[in-house]
Amino acid sequence: MNSGNPHRVVVIGSGFGGLFGTQALKRADVEITLIAKTTHHLFQPLLYQVATGILSEGEIAPSTREILARQRNARVVLGDVTGVDLDARTVTAVTVGRETVVPYDSLIVAAGAGQSYFGNDHFSEHAPGMKSIDDALELRGRIFGAFELAELASTPAEIERLMTFVVVGAGPTGVEMAGQIAELAHRTLKRDFRRVDPRSARIILIDGAPLVLPTFGQRLGGKARRQLESMGVEVMLKTKVTDVDGTGLVIEDEKGERHRIEALTKVWAAGVQASPLARILAEQTGAEIDRAGRIEVLPDCTLPGHPEVFVVGDMAALDGLPGVAQVAIQQSRYAAEAIKRRIAGKPEQAPFTYFDKGSMATISRFSAVASIGKVSLSGFFAWLMWLGVHLVYITGFKHRVTTLLHWAVSFLGRGRSQRTTTEQQVFARNVIKSVGEDAYPTLPRVAEDRPEQPKAG
Amino acid sequence: MNSGNPHRVVVIGSGFGGLFGTQALKRADVEITLIAKTTHHLFQPLLYQVATGILSEGEIAPSTREILARQRNARVVLGDVTGVDLDARTVTAVTVGRETVVPYDSLIVAAGAGQSYFGNDHFSEHAPGMKSIDDALELRGRIFGAFELAELASTPAEIERLMTFVVVGAGPTGVEMAGQIAELAHRTLKRDFRRVDPRSARIILIDGAPLVLPTFGQRLGGKARRQLESMGVEVMLKTKVTDVDGTGLVIEDEKGERHRIEALTKVWAAGVQASPLARILAEQTGAEIDRAGRIEVLPDCTLPGHPEVFVVGDMAALDGLPGVAQVAIQQSRYAAEAIKRRIAGKPEQAPFTYFDKGSMATISRFSAVASIGKVSLSGFFAWLMWLGVHLVYITGFKHRVTTLLHWAVSFLGRGRSQRTTTEQQVFARNVIKSVGEDAYPTLPRVAEDRPEQPKAG
């Protein structure tokens, strides 16, 4: 086919799906163009460690180009994909305001999902999500910045508002964030302030479900909850968030009663919404879009009428599979295999089946929960497994001793060596934007709490 | 004095002067308020490593609050100092748009210096300086982003413009930046691109002086120059920059002839301008301001008529001392000693004298120059010294094995594990801002360079 020219594969996205799909085609006689809007592959499960000052952004977001440096059949293009023309078989991407049109013979769409605010997009400026490096650094600035402002505050109410941290969503990301903010407040920062005691910070984890980590089941969810509570996290379940603003949020409990929580710092880890590319593809194929914006794909991960177009990972709806890294990885490898078979003229594969390797979530240093088939693990052993899997993964790309060492050191140490924020990110500026200029009527004059002294001379 | 209340010391700035002055007062019976506009102490000599992807921002900018956590007589206030009232003895700082007024008995002003564009402030958006974490991350985005855009460019002229990097100023920062960009282009990135060869990048170092590293003298300057040239850096001396815009700059050579260099990425490492606080202090005392905006201080580092106000480091003009870390450290320790003596009723010290411990600059991995008194060193041994001094310094704050390990690993490895930029910082967006939308009329459609293929089915 293609009169001697290599088969052109375009891959959209540099997340788990995009990267593993590209790597699975390493030895194939294809020409791959990977188009992504960031220059890095983001290891999203550790984003919370960037937000809470444990890891640097470079440690969880290696350069896509560097990972693929030795894969000569792949090239990387920085660009925002704005359109796919299924008839013309082209992808349109925008870089520096200018369009690039890339033709394909096969297409793997792995553009992932963003945060969903369930129709309340105005929550987002007050409660950033946890989906990108930008999000994590923004939250880093807000979390550390809240303590900075609390140190300058004067009234108890104001201090409480500044030192209350609310995490919405009790899935793995929310649990990990709440746990790490608690460790930060109760341990890391305990000697750093003079007027406020970070140990008095409130950390609240809210979810509408009756369980923490609901996908892990009753037993592990219960263990995770008790572990969080022992770390000082208040867990509010069967609780909905009905409004979020600059200085707090409104929750509705089981009985339908509404309460307001004053809290400057809110983290949204509650829901996901597939990339808008799903809709663009649905319009051209008549495929269904589900509530999370995902496009329904055929059992072989392709679009109806377009066997050359695969949609994988968080963007695809298939058999109710969850939006986790393993699904994206396995689907993109399945897509790569399908492309290789077609080029070789081999028969098509059987429909995609997901092999569940299990799932894990860490709650604090040395404590995690893991669910592997019928086996449930918790505590230190689960944490060791979690650590091993993550270490192997993140260092798998580079085969460099330095990366492993770096990561191990960051990870095992108690330090928060990555507290640095830019001036642009220093909380102050975001607060002004997010809460308005009148939110701090009582910000003290530091001089006021001491009687005027006679001057030394 | 002060009827039993501790002596109040306000320190402005968390750089070398502010931090060391505060630490020197650790055992004194004083109450210190350190006011700074960032939450970190910036180890400025390694800023170039953040800009070129070697170190993370956290590794060179530890939290000021964390460094001072165990110094109970010091508190840290995040704020921009907007005024000093020498008669009322108060400092005014702004945090989140609100003023804080802090009274003092003694004041140490160590607000440092920013970049100077010698009256051409409009250069700054096209050629960022190297003074803050914000600067370094902006430059990181621009440098790595330039290669991303070059990969998408089509005409040779456009590729050349994108792959030309100009560093203005051949002092230590400029030399280090030029050396590291050269190493990046010629070594680190050599396998990462498919259409452009990063090894063909031009790196140009420009200075009006006749010598590289002029403060190191003829011999070391010559060695540094040859080393840079062997790394592929074009060194243009006795050359002035007369204009800078989005897509290039205009230089004037020795003979007064002007040339234009097309270059998207420019780094300004040419001059410094003392903090505007110097002028605020000068207006109230009649002290002189020099060309670099520094305020002339008395031989004991105080302001005329205000023995309780010390100005130290890059902001102070005294005996022509250079703007280096050691001067700031020694002056601030001198100021701390003066405060302690006054409290104890001891006689004043002799005027400040600077003990020159020598200076060092690194050119590449394993190669540096050092000038210590009459001794000049260069090459590997000088580099080892440089490494030792910096390792001791940066780990001195934390006494943590993890920090040392981290830093050693980052530093000795060849990797650039810190290439990550935020989406906000991705070059694309800055380019649009900086060069205007018409600067890339020829940005290619990727499809164009391949003949249209018959479709696979």
Side-chain angles (χ1 to χ4, degrees), chain A residues 5 31 56-57 61 65 74-75 89 98 134 148 194 406 410 418 420 423 437 440 446 450 456, chain B residues 31 56-57 61 65 74-75 89 98 100 134 148 194 406 410 418 420 423 437 440 446 450 453 456:
Chain A
N5 277 312
E31 237 178 36
S56 70
E57 60 274 30
R65 210 172 269 296
R75 83 193 172 89
R89 294 192 179 170
R98 233 161 290 276
D134 292 60
E148 293 292 334
R194 299 292 177 260
H406 239 308
S410 294
Q418 302 291 338
T420 312
E423 285 177 58
E437 284 178 16
Y440 291 96
V446 173
R450 267 192 62 166
Chain B
E31 240 178 34
S56 69
E57 60 273 30
R65 209 173 270 296
R75 85 192 171 87
R89 293 192 179 170
R98 234 161 288 278
T100 301
D134 293 59
E148 293 292 335
R194 299 291 177 263
H406 239 308
S410 295
Q418 302 292 337
T420 312
E423 284 177 60
E437 284 179 16
Y440 292 97
V446 172
R450 266 193 62 166
Q453 300 297 321

Side-chain angles (χ1 to χ4, degrees), chain B residues 173-413:
Chain B
T173 299
V175 164
E176 284 158 345
M177 274 301 281
Q180 285 305 326
I181 296 174
E183 190 160 312
L184 191 63
H186 300 153
R187 214 193 289 263
T188 315
L189 299 181
K190 68 181 174 195
R191 283 195 192 81
D192 287 12
F193 294 85
R194 299 291 177 263
R195 299 187 171 210
V196 293
D197 183 352
R199 283 171 291 191
S200 67
R202 283 180 79 190
I203 295 98
I204 302 170
L205 179 65
I206 296 176
D207 204 302
L211 210 59
V212 159
L213 297 176
T215 59
F216 287 74
Q218 198 78 40
R219 203 175 72 85
L220 289 183
K223 285 207 180 204
R225 183 191 176 148
R226 283 189 296 279
Q227 173 79 24
L228 284 168
E229 285 173 343
S230 78
M231 295 168 71
V233 175
E234 297 170 46
V235 180
M236 298 183 178
L237 298 173
K238 300 179 187 165
T239 302
K240 284 181 207 146
V241 173
T242 59
D243 196 21
V244 181
D245 58 36
T247 57
L249 72 171
V250 177
I251 56 171
E252 187 181 299
D253 66 18
E254 250 184 298
K255 298 169 217 136
E257 280 173 26
R258 296 197 172 188
H259 309 272
R260 181 171 172 86
I261 301 174
E262 292 287 319
L264 198 69
T265 311
K266 284 84 60 179
V267 182
W268 195 265
V272 294
Q273 181 71 23
S275 157
L277 276 183
R279 279 189 192 283
I280 291 174
L281 298 172
E283 280 161 17
Q284 296 172 63
T285 55
E288 294 286 310
I289 294 284
D290 74 5
R291 235 167 51 104
R294 301 180 303 175
I295 187 168
E296 307 246 358
V297 294
L298 301 177
D300 65 351
C301 301
T302 64
L303 292 181
H306 289 277
E308 75 284 7
V309 180
F310 300 84
V311 184
V312 302
D314 288 2
M315 270 183 72
L318 176 64
D319 292 343
L321 290 174
V324 298
Q326 273 301 323
V327 169
I329 292 170
Q330 292 179 30
Q331 287 180 339
S332 68
R333 285 179 170 160
Y334 176 91
E337 179 62 25
I339 294 168
K340 287 196 275 189
R341 280 170 175 265
R342 287 177 200 166
I343 294 171
K346 290 186 193 165
E348 297 277 324
Q349 305 170 92
F352 173 76
T353 51
Y354 174 55
F355 172 61
D356 187 355
K357 293 189 179 177
S359 40
M360 302 191 214
T362 168
I363 299 152
S364 68
R365 238 167 50 120
F366 305 143
S367 173
V369 293
S371 161
I372 300 139
K374 286 180 183 163
V375 182
S376 291
L377 291 168
S378 61
F380 182 65
F381 187 68
W383 184 82
L384 272 187
M385 274 187 50
W386 176 90
L387 182 71
V389 167
H390 286 71
L391 278 177
V392 166
Y393 180 87
I394 202 98
T395 55
F397 295 129
K398 301 217 195 172
H399 309 290
R400 277 204 191 117
V401 179
T402 53
T403 312
L404 176 64
L405 271 175
H406 239 308
W407 208 83
V409 164
S410 295
F411 208 69
L412 293 170

